Every structure is written in C-alpha cells, then in structure tokens.
Amino acid sequence: MERAKRNAVAAIALVVLAVVAARVEAQQDSNVKTLVKYKHGKKYCDKGWECKGWSIYCCNLTITDYFQTYQFENLFSKRNSPVAHAVGFWDYHSFIAAASLFEPQGFGTTGNKTMQMMEIAAFLGHVGSKTSCGYGVATGGPLAWGLCYNHEMSPMQSYCDEYFKLTYPCTPGAEYYGRGAIPIFWNYNYGAVGEALKVDLLSHPEYIEQNATLAFQAAIWRWMTPVKKYQPSAHDAFVGNWKPTKNDTMENRVPGFGTTMNILYGDGVCGQGDVDSMNNIVSHYMYYLDLLGVGREQAGPHEYLTCAEQVPFNPSSKAASST
C-alpha cells in the first residue's frame, strides 16, 4: 500500500513537471510585469513564472532575456540526429522550466549579462561533455554532439552501495546507473537529489531518463549545491561568490571554471595535469562561449580555466563525485 502511494505521488510529480514545461512554452512570448519592493535598502523583484519569489537576482536579466531557442539549438545541433541515443528527449523549454526553479537563487541571474551568459555556457559545457557521442571526425565536429545521451549505455553494475542502507536504501529491482544531464550514479546520489527535488528517485531512478525537465533540474541542483558543508558550490566558485581560504590558495584552487570541475568530479579529472577527460569539458565550455558570442577569450588564463594543478576538495571518494 505504501509503495503504491509513493508511486502515485511520483507519477503526479512527473505530470506537474510536464505541465510546467508546457506553461513555459506558452508564456515565453508573453510580457511579464516585474514587481519590485525594497527591504532594508535592498531591491527585490518578482518576474512571474521564470523568476518568482522576491529575489535580488530576479531584478537582473533572466535567462530567456539573453538565451533563446536558436542558441540552444546551435549548442546542441546534433542531439536529434538519427544516430543519437536520446532523439526527441532534450529541448529548450525543458531547460528553461528547470532553470526557473533556480533563477531566484542566482542561476544564470548573477552579475551582468556577460557573467550570466558565461555561467550558462559553463553549466552547459559540463552537460555537453558528459552527454556527448561526438568524436574526432564526427559530422559538425566532436563538440556539436552534446545531449546525445540521457542515460548510461550498457551499465556493468546496478550502483547500489549498501553502506547507505539506512539513509538511502536501494529499492529492490532499481538500478542506479548514470542518468541525466550531468549523470547521476549510485543510490545515495539519487536519494539526495530526490530529497531536494521532492521526487522519490530511490524508488524510481528511471524518472530521470523519462522527463527532461527533471533531468535538467537534477543537474542544476548539483551545480548550485555544495558537495560538503563549508565547501563552495560550482555556481559560487564560478560567479565569484566563493572566497578561497589560505589552504585553498596553497592547493591551487581559485574561483573560475576549473574549480567547478574540482567540485563536480574531484580527482576523477583534477590534479592530474592536462588529461583528456578534463580538456574535453574545457573544450565544450570554450566552444559554447564562442557560439553564444561571448568569446573564449573571456574564459581567463589557464589556472582559472582548468583544474590540472588543483588538489581535489574531496580526494578519492566516489561519494565526492557524481560521475
């Protein structure tokens, strides 16, 4: 009975997400009035469906002000090619519907227009790299094939870690292989994301590969959320909210794109010199900066752009990585 109840609640959540994405598509072209109020000398805004809830960030440009459907199509131009593995799954409206949940927190709404566009390029650079089926001589080039996948192909295990059986117990029959825009692996990661998004992903990890809005929400939540307390989120490290400690500086961790890789993947890609796994993510980011008209020259010097020489925040722990 309890399981049936959870299934019904989860199914309703997916329907709600589908409605939200449809509403975004319907409302995108409508003019939304910006509501403004002041509190303790600070300006707070509410822009309706895209940036709701009286936030200082909603007073800035929102993502649809500078990132349109055609730009999404340019970045992911090959995702619906016949040889892709998630044809028809990923789309612009699902991304915007997912982003609207986090825009009041500063996702894509922090700083001036250039910084905002750079953050979208940075986040989507991770997404493109982690979901690409591009290769050296692929049509359109190897960087045009982001969002080719929405789940791991031919997983070799179910990714159930019994160490977390009290907090995030594995559901019989469920498999926690990689799914999503920044792929989620392992029961404890599905559990944490599900708690945050109020969707029972422990019982239904497959929902991530069934609903693009949910898949984007999970990835943006990971981008906006520190792995551990007193550590920065990828968002804070990128937009400059994070101030490195003396220890961070000694270990070559500085604000910028490089540290976002450190936070998301740890020593899976960082602290190993200029390895291919790191360079591929960086290449996607710079390619997207160019396509968005920002230009890769805005990305900064090598020590800000990469994590080649950084000491990982969380060394050698699979729980510190979402890959």
Side-chain angles (χ1 to χ4, degrees):
M1 180 68 73
E2 185 62 30
R3 181 175 174 82
K5 187 185 294 183
R6 289 201 307 268
N7 289 347
V9 170
I12 291 171
L14 289 184
V15 171
V16 169
L17 287 171
V19 170
V20 168
R23 185 177 297 165
V24 166
E25 187 169 2
Q27 293 183 339
Q28 187 184 336
D29 296 327
S30 64
N31 292 320
V32 177
K33 183 179 179 181
T34 300
L35 303 177
V36 180
K37 70 178 181 180
Y38 292 86
K39 186 176 181 180
H40 304 304
K42 283 190 175 182
K43 183 180 179 182
Y44 296 84
C45 299
D46 185 309
K47 289 187 177 178
W49 67 269
E50 188 178 1
C51 201
K52 196 168 185 63
W54 298 111
S55 165
I56 58 172
Y57 300 108
C58 295
C59 299
N60 298 332
L61 294 176
T62 51
I63 295 175
T64 59
D65 290 327
Y66 60 82
F67 184 62
Q68 306 294 326
T69 304
Y70 78 91
Q71 292 163 303
F72 183 90
E73 296 298 329
N74 286 343
L75 266 54
F76 304 108
S77 59
K78 298 297 181 182
R79 76 185 190 284
N80 288 326
S81 298
V83 295
H85 299 277
V87 175
F89 182 76
W90 303 105
D91 61 59
Y92 172 79
H93 297 294
S94 296
F95 170 67
I96 295 300
S100 66
L101 186 64
F102 298 93
E103 289 187 62
Q105 300 174 31
F107 177 69
T109 52
T110 298
N112 60 23
K113 182 179 179 181
T114 298
M115 172 55 75
Q116 292 173 318
M117 295 182 76
M118 288 179 67
E119 182 177 14
I120 295 304
F123 170 76
L124 292 177
H126 284 278
V127 169
S129 174
K130 292 298 177 179
T131 59
S132 176
C133 58
Y135 55 96
V137 295
T139 304
L143 303 177
W145 290 83
L147 296 181
C148 175
Y149 297 104
N150 64 2
H151 66 275
E152 180 183 7
M153 306 299 290
S154 304
M156 300 299 290
Q157 59 174 310
S158 62
Y159 296 95
C160 173
D161 189 338
E162 290 294 340
Y163 179 80
F164 294 89
K165 63 184 178 181
L166 296 180
T167 50
Y168 298 121
C170 300
T171 298
E175 296 187 340
Y176 303 101
Y177 56 78
R179 300 176 176 91
I182 297 178
I184 310 166
F185 293 78
W186 298 98
N187 52 307
Y188 48 83
N189 284 323
Y190 277 92
V193 174
E195 281 182 348
L197 300 180
K198 296 180 172 55
V199 178
D200 185 9
L201 295 179
L202 269 180
S203 297
H204 295 285
E206 71 276 6
Y207 284 168
I208 293 291
E209 62 182 286
Q210 295 174 351
N211 186 285
T213 299
L214 182 61
F216 275 128
Q217 282 182 347
I220 301 171
W221 177 82
R222 177 73 281 159
W223 177 263
M224 299 294 292
T225 307
V227 173
K228 291 183 179 179
K229 198 173 182 180
Y230 305 118
Q231 292 181 2
S233 66
H235 164 76
D236 285 335
F238 186 81
V239 302
N241 291 341
W242 168 60
K243 305 302 178 188
T245 64
K246 183 177 180 180
N247 187 59
D248 289 320
T249 302
M250 289 175 58
E251 297 186 337
N252 300 316
R253 295 190 292 263
V254 294
F257 186 76
T259 297
T260 70
M261 292 186 284
N262 193 328
I263 293 164
L264 295 175
Y265 318 119
D267 53 13
V269 299
C270 295
Q272 303 178 42
D274 289 315
V275 294
D276 289 345
S277 56
M278 181 196 73
N279 288 332
N280 184 268
I281 303 169
V282 172
S283 294
H284 277 81
Y285 170 48
M286 293 194 296
Y287 177 65
Y288 292 171
L289 284 175
D290 287 342
L291 287 181
L292 291 178
V294 176
R296 63 182 60 205
E297 63 275 6
Q298 295 285 342
H302 186 268
E303 61 267 26
Y304 292 92
L305 184 58
T306 80
C307 60
E309 306 303 326
Q310 291 188 16
V311 176
F313 280 103
N314 304 295
S316 299
S317 169
K318 69 185 178 184
S321 173
S322 61
T323 58

